[in-house]
């Protein structure tokens, strides 16, 4: 009999929404690295194909060697992709403005945490609210309908 794999078997991470004054992901990550002593670095953007259109979400990565936890900061809104095709597509005339994770609609960044097996509220997060982080939202991963977008 074949083994059935469920999508839940691949979701081995937690998500935290972060709302910041910084729209620029570079400024945001720079400030986090300076203030909290983290080492986030830019990696390849998360690319998602929706209705045959590619959307890119800036992504930063840091591995905490002390706690053995992987952290990704992903901008919750896509950056504009310039297409060089000759076909007219009206969707390219307007900037895409939708959240990667709809539960965090009010947050402009998502913190993906991999390697933490206990409840997320028991983890000391590498960021805290301050002058440039207005809000941190924690949801149960099972209540987030589009969490599968972050399986990578």
């Amino acid at each position: 009999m074949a083994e059935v794999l469920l999508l839940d078997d691949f979701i081995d991470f937690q998500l935290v929404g972060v709302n910041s004054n910084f729209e620029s992901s570079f400024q945001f990550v720079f400030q986090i690295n300076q203030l909290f002593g983290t080492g986030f670095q830019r990696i390849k953007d998360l690319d998602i194909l929706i209705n045959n259109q590619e959307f890119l979400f800036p992504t930063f990565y840091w591995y905490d060697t002390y706690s053995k936890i992987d952290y990704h900061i992903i901008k919750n809104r896509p950056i504009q992709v310039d297409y060089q095709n000759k076909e007219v597509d009206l969707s390219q005339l307007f900037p895409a403005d939708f959240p990667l994770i709809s539960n965090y609609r009010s947050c402009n960044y998502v913190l993906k945490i991999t390697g933490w097996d206990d409840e997320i509220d028991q983890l000391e997060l590498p960021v805290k609210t301050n002058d440039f982080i207005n809000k941190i939202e924690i949801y149960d991963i099972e209540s987030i309908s589009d969490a599968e977008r972050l399986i990578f």
Side-chain angles (χ1 to χ4, degrees), residues 1-133:
M1 182 175 203
E3 184 177 339
V4 177
L5 293 176
L6 301 175
L7 188 58
D8 291 344
D9 295 335
F10 293 101
I11 298 180
D12 60 347
F13 54 85
Q14 301 287 337
L15 295 178
V16 175
V18 180
N19 188 22
S20 172
N21 297 336
F22 291 117
E23 277 302 315
S24 165
S25 53
F26 290 108
Q27 288 179 317
F28 177 66
V29 170
F30 176 80
Q31 291 298 325
I32 285 176
N33 285 341
Q34 293 296 307
L35 188 62
F36 298 109
T38 57
F40 283 99
Q41 296 181 352
R42 180 81 184 255
I43 61 172
K44 186 176 185 278
D45 291 342
L46 175 65
D47 57 337
I48 295 188
L49 194 64
I50 300 174
N51 295 331
N52 292 326
Q53 189 169 0
E54 182 180 32
F55 296 96
L56 301 176
F57 296 85
T59 305
F60 299 80
Y61 173 75
W62 172 55
Y63 178 71
D64 184 357
T65 55
Y66 177 74
S67 63
K68 309 278 191 265
I69 295 177
D70 289 301
Y71 294 97
H72 288 86
I73 291 177
I74 305 159
K75 190 162 183 174
N76 201 27
R77 303 265 187 234
I79 57 175
Q80 193 67 30
V81 179
D82 293 326
Y83 288 97
Q84 301 298 327
N85 69 19
K86 296 177 180 158
E87 296 178 24
V88 175
D89 184 355
L90 294 178
S91 67
Q92 296 172 14
L93 298 176
F94 305 100
D97 188 28
F98 63 89
L100 174 66
I101 304 297
S102 57
N103 289 59
Y104 294 128
R105 184 174 302 281
S106 65
C107 297
N108 45 0
Y109 298 95
V110 175
L111 179 65
K112 178 184 173 187
I113 304 165
T114 308
W116 181 256
D117 295 329
D118 295 329
E119 295 297 320
I120 188 66
D121 56 358
Q122 296 176 0
L123 174 65
E124 185 174 337
L125 296 175
V127 297
K128 298 185 180 353
T129 55
N130 57 31
D131 293 346
F132 66 92
I133 296 177

